Amino acid sequence: MNTPMLEERDREAEQRENKEARARAEHFAELLAPYLAAQFGYKRNYVTLGLVTTVNARTVKYDLYLRVTPQRGQWAGTNCLVIARIGFTPTHKGHGRRFMAFLVEYAERVGYSNIGIESTNEESEAFGAKFGLLRHRDGNDLIGTVEEIKRRIAE
């Protein structure tokens, strides 16, 4: 049975966690915007913040939805940047590889040591396998360490 004092401490801890998570997401969005602008030739910033840990970026050339180190759900305790949606047009032109290189380059600055892909399909599973991502728990999610992904990119 929780006492009011314990419940208050839990709420404060959760608020602190959410504030830190939001700061990581904001920092990541600040890094992502110039990367996408340079890669795809846009002058306008198409990167937006979603709920607490999410970052969105969508144009006709790319569609990204990321969770920056979520503390709850299936990714809790993984210290992971999660790719919830990824798409580039045209495909098979190296955009995904360059994006993964960007993610490993900034991992330490944002504060994640793993990269995951959520709810994979055949294409995203093959994409993740190229970088050494493995099945995460019992679902159709993949996860890999930044170090392993960095090693695979260098090959």
Side-chain angles (χ1 to χ4, degrees):
M1 201 157 150
N2 280 347
T3 65
M5 199 163 144
L6 283 175
E7 289 174 2
E8 180 63 27
R9 263 192 253 153
D10 289 346
R11 270 194 302 277
E12 288 173 3
E14 186 176 336
Q15 287 174 344
R16 225 180 2 266
E17 254 181 29
N18 286 343
K19 189 174 182 180
E20 290 168 4
R22 185 62 174 192
R24 282 190 302 275
E26 288 172 358
H27 183 58
F28 179 74
E30 289 169 0
L31 297 168
L32 181 61
Y35 165 79
L36 291 173
Q39 287 294 310
F40 295 96
Y42 288 108
K43 292 185 185 346
R44 186 171 157 229
N45 178 6
Y46 291 98
V47 176
T48 60
L49 291 166
L51 298 174
V52 186
T53 67
T54 61
V55 175
N56 304 289
R58 189 175 213 169
T59 68
V60 289
K61 295 180 182 180
Y62 55 79
D63 183 9
L64 302 168
Y65 183 73
L66 305 133
R67 300 181 205 290
V68 184
T69 63
Q71 300 298 308
R72 290 173 188 72
Q74 77 262 31
W75 300 102
T78 60
N79 191 32
C80 191
L81 179 122
V82 180
I83 301 168
R85 189 173 62 236
I86 182 171
F88 296 103
T89 304
T91 60
H92 304 289
K93 298 292 183 189
H95 297 303
R97 184 180 222 27
R98 285 190 297 278
F99 183 63
M100 289 297 271
F102 164 80
L103 294 180
V104 299
E105 181 181 346
Y106 289 101
E108 193 172 308
R109 285 177 61 184
V110 177
Y112 53 89
S113 54
N114 296 294
I115 297 173
I117 302 177
E118 187 174 277
S119 300
T120 59
N121 58 26
E122 202 173 295
E123 258 186 86
S124 58
E125 193 158 329
F127 174 75
K130 286 182 200 175
F131 300 101
L133 277 67
L134 304 171
R135 183 92 29 228
H136 175 60
R137 300 199 178 142
D138 294 332
N140 60 339
D141 303 326
L142 302 175
I143 191 169
T145 66
V146 166
E147 290 308 312
E148 176 62 16
I149 296 166
K150 196 181 293 187
R151 189 182 72 70
R152 295 285 183 111
I153 289 170
E155 289 179 343

